[in-house]
Amino acid sequence: MRPFRRPRLRTLLLLSNLVVLVLPVTGFWALRLYESALVRQTETELRAQAAVLAGAWRAARGIAPESLADGLTTRALETARRRGLDLAHDTVLPLAPDPRPGPPPVAEAAWAGARLLPVLRDTQAVTLAALRLLDASGVVVASTGADTGLSLAGLEEVEAARSGRPLAVLRRREKIATDVPGGISRTAGLRVHLAMPVLDGERVDAVVLLSRTPSTVTQTVSGKVPEIAAVALLLLLLVAALAALASRLITRPLDAVVRAARQVAAGGSARLPAVPGTAVREAAELSDAIARMTATLEGRATYVRGLAAHVSHEFKTPLAAMRGAAELLAEHGEAMSAAERARFAATIEEGVARLDRLVSGLLALARADMAAAGGRADLRPLAEAAAARHPGLRVAVSGEAEAAIAPQAAATVLDSLLGNALVHAGPGTAVAIGLQQDGATAVMTVSDDGPGLSPANAARAFDPFFTTARERGGTGLGLAIARSLVEGAGGRIELLAAERGARFRIVLARAMPEAG
């Protein structure tokens, strides 16, 4: 089973912001689609009314009762079946100009209009549309308004119908005192105009002209309050779900980490709670980092406490000897022989020398702990220089290697290992330093033919102040200093099992070639 890949905080925030952005954009887009749907609905209703009135006109005029589709030309039929009006694509034309005087209407058309006028008025009472019947020249022969006898020739939709092509257009509407406020709707100030020809064969016998204002979003929405309330509740629940998700993925894990960090900062030891598997990656990484930091601080505190105890013990021994010798010299010096005074003076001198070595070792250990990582060292010349500084040993160097460590740090490590061999194995000890490159690492081995270490002592070899050569001047800090320097460079040092003597291996990162 593949491990769960935690989302990043920036990914979660981006998704949340996108959701918040999409909600109003989606609502705006839906509103625009609904407005266009209201306009197309009005157009469809006007087309149905126009078809009925066209049929009534044909019946009144005695025209053969063929269908509208049969009477229209192919081009007109394609226009009738095209997509409906769309607020996003169709141009809104200006307010229709007032009708103007025109020629007298055709007598037959005027007679048919008079017969159909009651039909127009009854239709308007139900549909609230403005209805007009025009003769072939564009003169109004029947109207629900007061423009009978006037001409509407020249209007775009009328001229299209006179040429045999039905046309629906959007026009600005005239504001009147009884208008219902449109609010956010764009349809409040518009009116749908539809002109449909009445054909007698290929000839246009009359034009049916209808217009009506589509319903506004405000008017439609006012009757759907329960549905809108349900959508609003759904959006609130969605926002609440997002907040709860953010709390679970971000807030709660971070709060737990902050509380634990405060306990650590106050000096306590806090055990970080397990981060939920659904938490963001940053929270898990922060928790892991603080857990590692807590472990490091606790380890450092333990190390400091142990080091302080060792320092106290190491300093007490020479100080006690020096104090005793000094007291004896002060109290009985005059009664002592020269040899006795010299022996007590030598005790004080040895104590001072040991304290000096301890202080120097502690300073070197502190510098090793604080040594900065990085650098580049060619290990062979450094090993040869270290061998020259220890003439009491028989050192042989073989191989080549370049490591990612500061040269001074590498030199100190070599001095510590060679000094350890000299103190524990004695002068004349043979030491072999082997160097090799192994892929991305540089490996150095330092081995001697001395007595070596027992398994019990080997386990404590790198502990500060642990030494089996205290009487020969050993401080027990050399290997601890070497380990601090190697680990500070990102490497590791270990004591290997050997048939004879001591064998150390240092593994460091290989130095990368310098850019040319």
Side-chain angles (χ1 to χ4, degrees):
M1 182 177 179
R2 296 180 60 185
F4 173 73
R5 183 174 178 83
R6 298 179 186 274
R8 286 199 173 274
L9 177 58
R10 63 170 176 262
T11 304
L12 184 62
L13 293 178
L14 176 61
L15 291 176
S16 299
N17 290 333
L18 285 177
V19 170
V20 172
L21 176 64
V22 164
L23 289 178
V25 170
T26 303
F28 181 79
W29 174 72
L31 176 64
R32 291 301 184 245
L33 288 181
Y34 190 55
E35 285 182 325
S36 293
L38 291 175
V39 169
R40 284 192 292 272
Q41 178 184 357
T42 301
E43 178 189 358
T44 300
E45 293 173 355
L46 291 180
R47 285 184 182 275
Q49 296 170 34
V52 172
L53 292 176
W57 177 276
R58 295 163 69 87
R61 294 273 289 120
I63 300 175
E66 55 189 5
S67 68
L68 177 64
D70 293 337
L72 294 176
T73 62
T74 301
R75 180 181 176 187
L77 185 58
E78 291 177 355
T79 304
R81 290 174 175 172
R82 73 176 180 88
R83 65 168 178 82
L85 293 172
D86 194 322
L87 289 173
H89 301 94
D90 291 299
T91 303
V92 178
L93 301 179
L95 180 70
D98 294 333
R100 61 184 185 278
V106 178
E108 293 83 357
W111 175 82
R115 289 194 60 183
L116 294 177
L117 181 59
V119 177
L120 297 186
R121 290 173 176 169
D122 290 344
T123 303
Q124 185 193 38
V126 176
T127 65
L128 304 180
L131 300 93
R132 297 181 180 88
L133 296 174
L134 287 66
D135 66 7
S137 64
V139 176
V140 178
V141 295
S143 172
T144 55
D147 50 2
T148 302
L150 301 178
S151 175
L152 292 175
L155 286 179
E156 180 178 341
E157 58 272 29
V158 172
E159 293 304 308
R162 290 179 63 194
S163 66
R165 178 169 56 90
L167 180 64
V169 297
L170 288 170
R171 287 189 179 276
R172 299 289 180 190
R173 63 173 293 203
E174 182 180 5
K175 298 294 184 181
I176 57 177
T178 58
D179 279 352
V180 178
I184 61 173
S185 178
R186 297 176 296 169
T187 59
L190 304 179
R191 196 170 179 86
V192 179
H193 290 249
L194 172 69
M196 180 177 290
V198 181
L199 300 178
D200 182 5
E202 295 293 329
R203 182 182 65 84
V204 176
D205 188 70
V207 173
V208 179
L209 180 62
L210 301 88
S211 65
R212 199 185 79 188
T213 300
S215 300
T216 65
V217 172
T218 303
Q219 293 169 335
T220 306
V221 164
S222 62
K224 298 185 178 295
V225 173
E227 290 84 354
I228 295 174
V231 172
L233 179 60
L234 179 62
L235 292 179
L236 287 176
L237 292 177
L238 178 59
V239 172
L242 287 175
L245 179 63
S247 175
R248 177 172 180 80
L249 300 186
I250 303 174
T251 308
R252 284 195 291 173
L254 290 181
D255 285 344
V257 172
V258 168
R259 287 194 300 270
R262 286 174 177 169
Q263 293 180 25
V264 174
S269 58
R271 186 176 183 86
L272 292 178
V275 177
T278 54
V280 293
R281 192 182 308 172
E282 286 80 1
E285 291 175 352
L286 179 60
S287 178
D288 291 341
I290 292 182
R292 290 194 300 270
M293 180 190 70
T294 303
T296 300
L297 291 176
E298 291 178 350
R300 181 66 65 179
T302 302
Y303 173 77
V304 169
R305 287 192 295 268
L307 182 62
H310 284 301
V311 169
S312 175
H313 175 75
E314 292 294 326
F315 273 57
K316 280 181 179 180
T317 301
L319 284 174
M322 292 166 60
R323 182 182 296 111
E327 289 177 353
L328 289 173
L329 285 174
E331 295 176 0
H332 309 287
E334 295 180 357
M336 291 180 182
S337 64
E340 290 175 333
R341 286 194 298 269
R343 182 164 56 85
F344 285 116
T347 300
I348 295 175
E349 186 177 351
E350 290 175 2
V352 171
R354 179 160 181 79
L355 289 175
D356 181 64
R357 289 194 300 271
L358 288 172
V359 170
S360 299
L362 288 172
L363 290 175
L365 181 61
R367 285 194 293 268
D369 282 341
M370 295 184 295
R376 179 189 182 93
D378 187 351
L379 297 181
R380 185 177 181 90
L382 291 174
E384 293 172 346
R389 291 192 296 271
H390 296 79
L393 300 173
R394 294 179 291 114
V395 182
V397 182
S398 62
E400 301 280 349
E402 291 187 349
I405 186 174
Q408 184 58 45
T412 303
V413 171
L414 287 164
D415 285 339
S416 298
L417 293 175
L418 294 180
N420 180 75
L422 183 60
V423 169
H424 290 81
T429 301
V431 179
I433 301 177
L435 305 172
Q436 65 176 4
Q437 306 266 110
D438 184 12
T441 61
V443 180
M444 177 171 64
T445 58
V446 179
S447 56
D448 61 59
D449 60 354
L453 289 86
S454 66
N457 290 338
R460 302 179 57 194
F462 296 101
D463 291 350
F465 300 107
F466 174 76
T467 179
T468 59
R470 196 177 308 276
E471 67 282 356
R472 294 189 293 274
T475 62
L477 294 174
L479 293 182
I481 292 171
R483 182 179 64 178
S484 294
L485 290 171
V486 170
E487 292 180 351
R492 68 179 188 276
I493 182 172
E494 52 193 351
L495 176 61
L496 304 177
E499 294 182 0
R500 182 180 179 184
R503 180 179 176 85
F504 295 91
R505 181 171 64 183
I506 298 97
V507 181
L508 295 164
R510 181 178 178 179
M512 293 295 103
E514 295 181 353

